[in-house]
Amino acid sequence: MTLRLAVIGGGNMGGALLGGLLSAGWAEASEVAVVEVLTAKHEVLRSRFPGVLVVDGVDGLGLVEAAVIAVKPPDVAAAVHAAAAHGAGRLLSIAAGVTIAAIEDAAKTPVSVVRAMPNTPALVGAGVSAIAPGSRASAADLEWARSILASVGTVVDVTEAQLDAVTGLSGSGPAYLFLVVEALIEGGVLAGLPRDVSRALATQLLAGSGKLLVESGELPEVLRGSVTSPGGTTAAGLRLLEERAVRAAFIDAVAAATERSRQLGA
């Protein structure tokens, strides 16, 4: 039997994609395998994904139609070559910094490659991923990759040259937002709130504001304006943030992370 998909790398992101696919009905458990070199994780994966074949190497598989490459960058070439040798004609790589050209070269045989940059909210089905096609990837190959990543969030199309900026914005972005929440919690404590109350308020503030932004369809500046009464408390807080150049700091953070992504890719 030829497996429909092999997920090579059973870590957080590989596991998130596998769970999303199965929950969405993209494939039956018996049609999918996960390759994880750390045998200590095997029982966890088998318990989490009943019916999915779990092996410690690609050699433990038969033929596969396609593969998701979810290993660390130094291990990509070997994983790609092994997947292609087992029949995978389509490859979706979520390995940061590894170029499409490098993946196509590692395959040693013609394959359709789609490179993607997901982010960690995919772990709870609320991620955003960007995809870029390889030299042999057709519209059907892109739709195949999109169907996989859509099981854990939304998907946008970019060129490979834009993936570094995607990394700087949405790939690294969760850390920026978590830092903001940390600061807000500390601000609440300084203002006199118990820490658990401050944490609950700041955490739901982030979740609720994000939900409002997505579901209202309004621009962020419109929503910001709706909270900001002339001469009010929010206006006072925003004035201080602008004086401290917080907006510019976030812009510079995205630029710095983008440049670091380019350096790592090189």
Side-chain angles (χ1 to χ4, degrees), residues 1-3 5-8 30-37 39 42 46 52-64 78-79 81-83 85-87:
M1 173 184 173
T2 300
L3 291 169
L5 184 71
V7 177
I8 304 179
S30 60
E31 299 176 306
V32 182
V34 58
V35 178
E36 174 51 58
V37 296
T39 55
H42 285 196
R46 291 189 180 102
V52 170
L53 176 64
V54 180
V55 295
D56 60 6
V58 179
D59 289 341
L61 304 174
L63 293 176
V64 296
H81 180 67
H86 280 72

Side-chain angles (χ1 to χ4, degrees), residues 2 6 8 35 58-59 61-69 76-92 102-113 136:
T2 300
I8 304 179
V35 178
V58 179
D59 289 341
L61 304 174
L63 293 176
V64 296
E65 293 179 3
V68 172
I69 308 300
V76 168
V80 166
H81 180 67
H86 280 72
R90 281 174 166 167
L91 299 176
L92 170 61
I103 295 167
E104 291 176 339
D105 183 64
K108 306 300 182 185
T109 187
V111 292
S112 296
V113 175
R136 300 183 184 88

Side-chain angles (χ1 to χ4, degrees), residues 7-199:
V7 177
I8 304 179
N12 286 339
M13 200 59 71
L17 286 174
L18 181 55
L21 289 174
L22 296 174
S23 296
W26 189 91
E28 298 294 329
S30 60
E31 299 176 306
V32 182
V34 58
V35 178
E36 174 51 58
V37 296
L38 298 177
T39 55
K41 290 186 176 181
H42 285 196
E43 286 307 312
V44 174
L45 290 167
R46 291 189 180 102
S47 175
R48 184 178 173 188
F49 307 117
V52 170
L53 176 64
V54 180
V55 295
D56 60 6
V58 179
D59 289 341
L61 304 174
L63 293 176
V64 296
E65 293 179 3
V68 172
I69 308 300
V71 295
K72 294 179 180 179
D75 301 323
V76 168
V80 166
H81 180 67
H86 280 72
R90 281 174 166 167
L91 299 176
L92 170 61
S93 173
I94 62 171
V98 183
T99 66
I100 290 170
I103 295 167
E104 291 176 339
D105 183 64
K108 306 300 182 185
T109 187
V111 292
S112 296
V113 175
V114 177
R115 183 179 164 197
M117 172 51 64
N119 65 358
T120 54
L123 298 173
V124 291
V128 60
S129 304
I131 57 174
S135 63
R136 300 183 184 88
S138 65
D141 296 322
L142 276 174
E143 186 56 37
W144 166 79
R146 191 177 293 109
S147 71
I148 292 175
L149 292 162
S151 70
V152 292
T154 59
V155 185
V156 300
D157 294 89
V158 298
T159 65
E160 185 177 23
Q162 294 170 326
L163 281 175
D164 290 317
V166 171
T167 300
L169 176 56
S170 64
S172 299
Y176 311 152
L177 297 181
F178 296 147
L179 179 63
V180 169
V181 174
E182 285 183 61
L184 290 172
I185 292 170
E186 293 304 320
V189 171
L190 182 62
L193 293 173
R195 183 168 295 276
D196 59 340
V197 172
S198 188
R199 181 181 295 110

Side-chain angles (χ1 to χ4, degrees), residues 179-266:
L179 179 63
V180 169
V181 174
E182 285 183 61
L184 290 172
I185 292 170
E186 293 304 320
V189 171
L190 182 62
L193 293 173
R195 183 168 295 276
D196 59 340
V197 172
S198 188
R199 181 181 295 110
L201 290 171
T203 300
Q204 184 56 36
L205 166 64
L206 178 66
S209 299
K211 185 178 176 66
L212 176 61
L213 180 61
V214 171
E215 296 187 2
S216 71
E218 287 284 6
L219 295 172
E221 54 267 35
V222 172
L223 292 174
R224 174 175 53 79
S226 71
V227 183
T228 311
S229 301
T233 58
T234 306
L238 287 172
R239 179 182 60 79
L240 182 61
L241 291 175
E242 293 291 4
E243 287 178 353
R244 301 289 175 84
V246 170
R247 182 196 300 263
F250 276 112
I251 294 171
D252 289 346
V254 173
T258 299
E259 178 57 29
R260 183 56 179 158
S261 180
R262 291 195 183 104
Q263 292 171 357
L264 292 173

